[in-house]
Amino acid sequence: MPSKNKNENLAYLLARVAVGISLFGHGVVRLPKAGAFSEWMRDRFEKSWLPAPVVGTFGYVLPWIEFGIGLLLIIGLFTRSALIGGAVLMIALIGGCCLIEDWSAIPSQLMHAGFCALLLVFLERYNYYSFDRRFLSDNP
């Protein structure tokens, strides 16, 4: 049952948009320098068991994924899929950081994954201010 409490709905919106802007911002700043970013990732993973072409391709695709998931979360469109995608992306990034022993990046990735999971728990009840609710829902 959707909440009629404006403060809870607003709190959900603020948390969803905050996570969305973080992901969106990561993507936006990396897109213009996608080639350099991809090469940087290949260099970082040089001593891991991941093949360089896989890392390089992921480096080109990652900014687009961050940009897309972030944008969807900001506007609240396909929010469930975006939250799941965001959490899965963070799990992949955490795995990569473990492979190269980059422990410093993991807390941020864990926070993003945790926020995505928590937002998913409360999605149906508090995602009132969203394009999902306005255009994809049968609820008035």
Side-chain angles (χ1 to χ4, degrees):
M1 160 108 31
S3 173
K4 295 187 190 238
N5 184 314
K6 291 181 183 179
N7 288 334
E8 292 167 346
N9 294 335
L10 182 58
Y12 187 90
L13 169 69
L14 294 172
R16 190 192 76 221
V17 170
V19 173
I21 288 176
S22 178
L23 287 168
F24 180 82
H26 276 82
V28 163
V29 300
R30 291 175 176 161
L31 282 173
K33 54 184 180 181
F37 178 71
S38 177
E39 190 170 319
W40 174 81
M41 282 192 65
R42 273 194 303 268
D43 291 345
R44 297 275 323 261
F45 282 82
E46 185 176 51
K47 294 181 181 172
S48 78
W49 54 265
L50 290 174
V54 170
V55 175
T57 301
F58 187 75
Y60 275 110
V61 173
L62 178 59
W64 288 103
I65 295 171
E66 292 170 326
F67 174 86
I69 291 172
L71 181 61
L72 291 174
L73 290 175
I74 290 167
I75 65 174
L77 183 62
F78 306 116
T79 308
R80 182 176 188 275
S81 296
L83 290 170
I84 293 168
V88 169
L89 175 62
M90 291 303 127
I91 291 166
L93 293 175
I94 290 166
C97 284
C98 289
L99 289 177
I100 61 171
E101 299 183 58
D102 181 5
W103 312 118
S104 64
I106 293 176
S108 173
Q109 295 160 343
L110 283 171
M111 284 192 294
H112 281 83
F115 266 100
C116 286
L118 194 59
L119 288 167
L120 188 59
V121 168
F122 295 105
L123 175 71
E124 290 181 24
R125 184 164 187 173
Y126 300 122
N127 196 34
Y128 183 81
Y129 301 113
S130 67
F131 278 103
D132 287 338
R133 173 125 171 104
R134 301 293 177 225
F135 299 114
L136 302 177
S137 176
D138 293 333
N139 299 326

